Amino acid sequence: MTARHKAIETISNHRVAATQNYLEHAGEDIYGQYVFHEGVQRDYLPKPIFRRLRRVIDGLEPFAPEIADAVAHGIKEWAMAHGATHYTHWFVPMTGSTAEKHDSFLSPISDGATVAEFSGKNLMQGEPDASSFPSGGIRATFEARGYTAWDVTSPIFLQVEPNGVTLTIPTAYVSFTGEALDHKIPMLRSQEALGKQALRILRWFGNTAATRVFTNIGPEQEYFLVDRRLAEQRPDLLLTGRTLFGAQPPKGQELEDQYFGPIRERILAFMMDLDRELWRLGIPSKTRHNEVAPGQFEMAPVYEPTSVGSDHNMVVMQTMRRLAPQHGLAFLIHEKPFAGINGSGKHNNWSMSTDLGENLLDPGTDPHANAQFLAFLIAVIRAVDVHAGILRASIADAGQDHRLGANEAPPAIMSIFLGSQLEDVIAQIEQGAASGSKKGGHVALGVTSLPVLARDATDRNRTSPFAFTGNKFEFRAVGSSAPIYWPQTVLNTAVADSLSRLADDLETLKPGDFDGLTAILSGVVKQHSRVLFEGNGYSSEWHQEAARRGLPNNRTTVDALPALATDEAKAVFSKFGVLSERELDARVDIFWERYVKVQNIEANTALDIAKTMILPATAVYLGQLASAGYSRGVKSVADKVASLADDLVDAIHTLEHAQHAAHNAGSVQAEARQFVDVVIPAQNALRVVADELETLVSDELWPMPKYRELLFQY
Ligand code: ADP
Ligand code: MG
């Protein structure tokens, strides 16, 4: 029996193990169990310390070092009561994965015993010897060490595993010269920038009560699960997260029987464990369902402030990765694990709200609220048009190149879908000022006659990268594996810029001058309505139409990244204090490097599989055919297989040469371009030959689990 067949036999005998006492874990009673939330803060901290910490968390005062020791003591007591022996500063370096180094509380004392220690300093600041994280040159030049600083806005939590518990402190990672070495700091800065500009607009509308504006994030997370015993027989899945080979199975997603279908027992068991674990971590997991492709699923939490929700999404992905093996499953977060069926995205639902709970993207119910809503909406429209290049770049990644623009995911063209009712309103605003008069049939634009907008929850467009859905935008083009921080940073910065221009204009008007407001909004719409598109984003007509409109269409990462190196990009990030020129350069360098490294790993893996697995299996099969005798049919198959074997060897050599040539391209950008133009096509050509062999070589001999097994065998 081959390893494949053994795996399948085990899978057939897999029985879901019931979770003990699941009725006791139904939600409320476990929610936030692993979080140092307000309730436990009250229990574990002296009252005055508790009150001051709450003010810090609410952004009302800076963290005062003199309360640090008392806070740390309370946290330690709480963590140890839950069995914690270690603590860690948890952060998101520019690798895009989370990082953690654990330290025990243990501290030896003179008589050979130990005590548990955790000081204010331990809580507030860590200094990981983190010389191996990419810094894009920031740390090399300044010889600055990096340190981690507690991010009070994100809740402290426990990582509880079968053999122990670790106290986990979300931190920001920064160089001693104050430069951001992580993805989180720029995101926090971008929130602040957006908030400041949004408040200017609110003040013009007469809102004097709000003191802060921040963004919310509700990330819908798509992912695949396949049987682990099968996945582990695929070096490509193991090393690259996607299949580099694999013939199309006789059945794919064409019957559309997976989407929202009944959830298999084994998958549901995973999802149930996942939900319980997320609830314990204070992550409001809400929705679970089967997605379009076989083996594909989705979870969505209730939205949260972006500073919390983006950390939570990292924990969600990590928890999925950790729990899957407990169910004999492998977790695939890649944007395109399988050719020929849908890939995975992360739909970032995004809105802006005030500290008093007003959602600035909610149409509201009276004309005044509508006017304010339209001002924010139109500012977002301008942001997406003006900053389409950096927004596209913010979601660029090797994995995304397989997904964006394919017939399953939004195109690489940034456009906005509003829904018919709003689109109509916007069109009339555009015309209104054009004619300078308020003709019949057009909406009169004075505040007294702005239409009351009903929330239109039914209008949906799955093909748009950026869709308005009632009271929020859904940034649908984000990749499934992407940390939320970077796309949100870019979006917030783009919107901050747009709001600041609008505020500049409004501040020249008297408050309450709604005709003036209308003229300004009308002008903005006229200039930027080209970014609005209601039709089918998957269609080739849209690609032509977008080109006519002059909208950028950067198909690959290599086409997209240069937008981050322009003077405009540098200006906007530095104007709003989100990223200095050096910090931006550092990130762009890292993105290029990462792209080339990923492509090299994929090419290496493809070559390895082709040479050591597929070619040998083909040769054995040829031998079998040769000894099978003189049948005309068998001979013709043997000829075909022999000729494909030759093609395979040729394709291997072509890929090797292409990869080698790319290494000598000079710069990382030139190497990346060669990958797009030459290496990836060579790798695809190799795949075509290998996949055809898969359809001919004896199933017994085929060295890797096939698509039909990965996608349908649970
Ligand atoms: P839809 O079907 O319109 O996509 P859902 O109710 O399924 O809406 O919500 C999808 C995600 O959007 C969820 O994570 C939800 O919490 C989030 N969401 C809802 N309202 C907002 C909002 N105002 N801001 C940000 N996210 C939101
Ligand atoms: Mg949605």
Side-chain angles (χ1 to χ4, degrees):
M1 232 203 300
T2 66
R4 271 170 65 213
H5 295 125
K6 266 194 212 120
I8 290 167
E9 187 181 85
T10 329
I11 294 165
S12 327
N13 293 322
H14 184 96
R15 291 293 169 273
V16 170
T19 299
Q20 294 299 306
N21 303 326
Y22 62 87
L23 286 178
E24 291 172 13
H25 303 306
E28 271 174 32
D29 49 341
I30 58 166
Y31 195 82
Q33 217 172 57
Y34 298 166
V35 182
F36 192 62
H37 56 67
E38 187 169 349
V40 272
Q41 288 164 14
R42 189 180 287 116
D43 292 347
Y44 278 88
L45 299 176
K47 240 199 194 92
I49 303 287
F50 165 74
R51 281 206 211 95
R52 290 192 63 185
L53 179 64
R54 288 314 304 175
R55 288 181 56 78
V56 174
I57 290 170
D58 292 339
L60 300 172
E61 63 175 78
F63 190 83
E66 68 266 19
I67 68 167
D69 280 331
V71 173
H73 179 77
I75 292 172
K76 184 193 76 181
E77 293 295 303
W78 167 74
M80 289 183 67
H82 286 79
T85 53
H86 288 66
Y87 68 94
T88 183
H89 278 203
W90 180 91
F91 58 107
V92 192
M94 291 188 277
T95 55
S97 317
T98 59
E100 52 189 85
K101 184 187 83 175
H102 300 190
D103 281 298
S104 77
F105 294 128
L106 178 153
S107 181
I109 47 175
S110 54
D111 59 356
T114 67
V115 289
E117 266 186 4
F118 183 61
S119 68
K121 188 170 175 300
N122 294 151
L123 166 65
M124 288 177 60
Q125 187 168 322
E127 205 178 315
D129 178 20
S131 46
S132 293
F133 290 117
S135 74
I138 287 181
R139 285 173 53 237
T141 357
F142 277 64
E143 290 180 325
R145 296 196 65 178
Y147 71 93
T148 50
W150 180 27
D151 170 14
V152 289
T153 62
S154 183
I156 286 177
F157 61 97
L158 300 171
Q159 296 187 68
V160 178
E161 308 215 20
N163 298 315
V165 177
T166 309
L167 170 66
T168 307
I169 303 155
T171 59
Y173 182 42
V174 66
S175 81
F176 269 105
T177 51
E179 284 170 298
L181 291 171
D182 68 357
H183 280 315
K184 188 170 199 181
I185 295 170
M187 206 276 292
L188 295 173
R189 291 177 184 159
S190 74
Q191 285 246 51
E192 242 179 84
L194 179 145
K196 216 160 120 188
Q197 301 307 325
L199 273 182
R200 290 174 64 196
I201 310 274
L202 286 177
R203 296 289 183 255
W204 188 86
F205 278 97
N207 180 333
T208 51
T211 59
R212 254 168 13 107
V213 170
F214 55 90
T215 61
N216 299 300
I217 188 85
E220 300 165 51
Q221 179 69 57
E222 292 176 343
Y223 61 97
F224 279 84
L225 292 170
V226 298
D227 186 87
R228 188 183 174 195
R229 286 154 290 218
L230 293 171
E232 281 176 354
Q233 296 178 49
R234 303 246 353 179
D236 46 3
L237 280 182
L238 220 55
L239 298 179
T240 72
R242 74 178 184 103
T243 54
L244 303 177
F245 297 100
Q248 286 302 302
K251 174 185 190 287
Q253 67 187 46
E254 60 274 61
L255 296 179
E256 294 168 335
D257 49 357
Q258 161 80 1
Y259 189 57
F260 284 12
I263 305 169
R264 278 177 223 237
E265 188 180 59
R266 192 171 163 201
I267 299 299
L268 194 53
F270 163 84
M271 291 176 166
M272 287 168 164
D273 274 359
L274 175 70
D275 279 341
R276 277 189 286 269
E277 191 69 1
L278 295 178
W279 294 337
R280 290 191 180 100
L281 287 159
I283 298 173
S285 178
K286 180 84 173 164
T287 310
R288 59 191 188 204
H289 64 82
N290 284 3
E291 252 304 325
V292 170
Q296 192 186 29
F297 311 97
E298 179 179 307
M299 78 73 72
V302 177
Y303 69 96
E304 300 179 284
T306 306
S307 50
V308 178
S310 48
D311 279 358
H312 275 171
N313 182 251
M314 298 305 283
V315 178
V316 166
M317 293 191 285
Q318 179 55 27
T319 307
M320 289 173 166
R321 186 170 290 116
R322 185 164 68 78
L323 295 186
Q326 295 180 11
H327 294 264
L329 297 166
F331 168 66
L332 306 180
I333 191 73
H334 194 280
E335 283 71 22
K336 191 73 179 176
F338 300 98
I341 59 170
N342 277 21
S344 298
K346 176 148 33 207
H347 300 169
N348 285 0
N349 293 270
W350 171 90
S351 63
M352 300 175 265
S353 49
T354 70
D355 52 341
L356 302 177
E358 183 185 1
N359 178 353
L360 302 179
L361 291 175
D362 200 323
T365 48
D366 61 73
H368 181 272
N370 273 342
Q372 181 185 303
F373 159 72
L374 288 171
F376 280 100
L377 182 83
I378 289 168
V380 175
I381 293 173
R382 166 158 59 184
V384 174
D385 186 34
V386 171
H387 297 294
I390 57 174
L391 280 168
R392 165 65 183 96
S394 79
I395 52 167
D397 185 43
Q400 285 273 79
D401 287 1
H402 301 285
R403 188 179 84 99
L404 291 184
N407 270 343
E408 50 162 288
I413 307 161
M414 289 294 119
S415 70
I416 297 181
F417 171 84
L418 290 179
S420 51
Q421 190 192 6
L422 255 189
E423 142 113 329
D424 189 45
V425 170
I426 295 294
Q428 294 185 52
I429 290 176
E430 184 173 12
Q431 287 169 23
S435 64
S437 65
K438 295 157 188 165
K439 289 185 193 137
H442 288 172
V443 176
L445 295 163
V447 71
T448 46
S449 47
L450 266 169
V452 173
L453 299 172
R455 192 179 305 165
D456 184 356
T458 56
D459 225 0
R460 284 296 143 94
N461 184 333
R462 295 171 53 87
T463 68
S464 175
F466 203 83
F468 186 74
T469 49
N471 61 355
K472 62 186 192 286
F473 277 99
E474 190 169 338
F475 193 5
R476 306 180 70 260
V478 182
S480 49
S481 69
I484 282 168
Y485 311 94
W486 178 236
Q488 290 312 122
T489 301
V490 176
L491 177 60
N492 289 346
T493 308
V495 173
D497 181 44
S498 183
L499 290 172
S500 126
R501 284 157 197 248
L502 182 59
D504 288 348
D505 289 344
L506 287 182
E507 285 163 6
T508 66
L509 300 178
K510 279 203 282 299
D513 176 0
F514 286 91
D515 286 334
L517 168 72
T518 301
I520 289 169
L521 294 183
S522 180
V524 177
V525 172
K526 241 183 249 144
Q527 233 184 319
H528 301 289
S529 62
R530 64 175 187 161
V531 77
L532 301 177
F533 179 64
E534 299 290 300
N536 179 5
Y538 297 172
S539 68
S540 57
E541 292 79 27
W542 170 231
H543 285 243
Q544 290 155 18
E545 167 66 15
R548 262 196 301 281
R549 295 187 190 183
L551 299 176
N553 182 4
N554 296 323
R555 283 163 197 274
T556 69
T557 300
V558 170
D559 302 313
L561 287 181
L564 290 170
T566 61
D567 290 342
E568 291 86 359
K570 288 174 186 163
V572 72
F573 284 113
S574 65
K575 176 174 177 193
F576 292 96
V578 175
L579 289 170
S580 70
E581 208 168 297
R582 261 167 49 84
E583 287 173 322
L584 178 61
D585 281 350
R587 274 158 188 77
V588 177
D589 279 357
I590 290 169
F591 294 146
W592 281 112
E593 291 276 348
R594 181 183 161 80
Y595 179 82
V596 164
K597 284 175 184 165
V598 169
Q599 301 300 1
N600 265 306
I601 292 169
E602 292 200 352
N604 290 338
T605 308
L607 285 167
D608 193 55
I609 291 172
K611 290 196 281 194
T612 68
M613 297 173 81
I614 295 175
L615 187 61
T618 306
V620 172
Y621 185 49
L622 269 177
Q624 287 184 359
L625 290 176
S627 60
Y630 301 98
S631 145
R632 181 168 46 79
V634 170
K635 259 184 85 184
S636 79
V637 173
D639 287 346
K640 175 84 185 148
V641 172
S643 131
L644 283 168
D646 290 343
D647 293 349
L648 189 75
V649 173
D650 292 345
I652 288 169
H653 289 151
T654 308
L655 176 55
E656 280 174 337
H657 287 136
Q659 195 189 6
H660 190 72
H663 290 330
N664 299 322
S667 68
V668 66
Q669 286 88 347
E671 184 174 357
R673 171 52 67 192
Q674 283 215 31
F675 263 93
V676 170
D677 291 345
V678 189
V679 185
I680 294 170
Q683 190 181 318
N684 291 341
L686 172 63
R687 177 177 185 154
V688 168
V689 179
D691 288 358
E692 192 173 352
L693 279 168
E694 187 186 316
T695 67
L696 293 170
V697 171
S698 160
D699 187 63
E700 296 259 285
L701 296 175
W702 196 252
M704 290 187 297
K706 300 180 172 182
Y707 270 26
R708 65 158 195 264
E709 292 155 346
L710 291 165
L711 294 171
F712 296 99
Q713 206 92 50
Y714 284 95

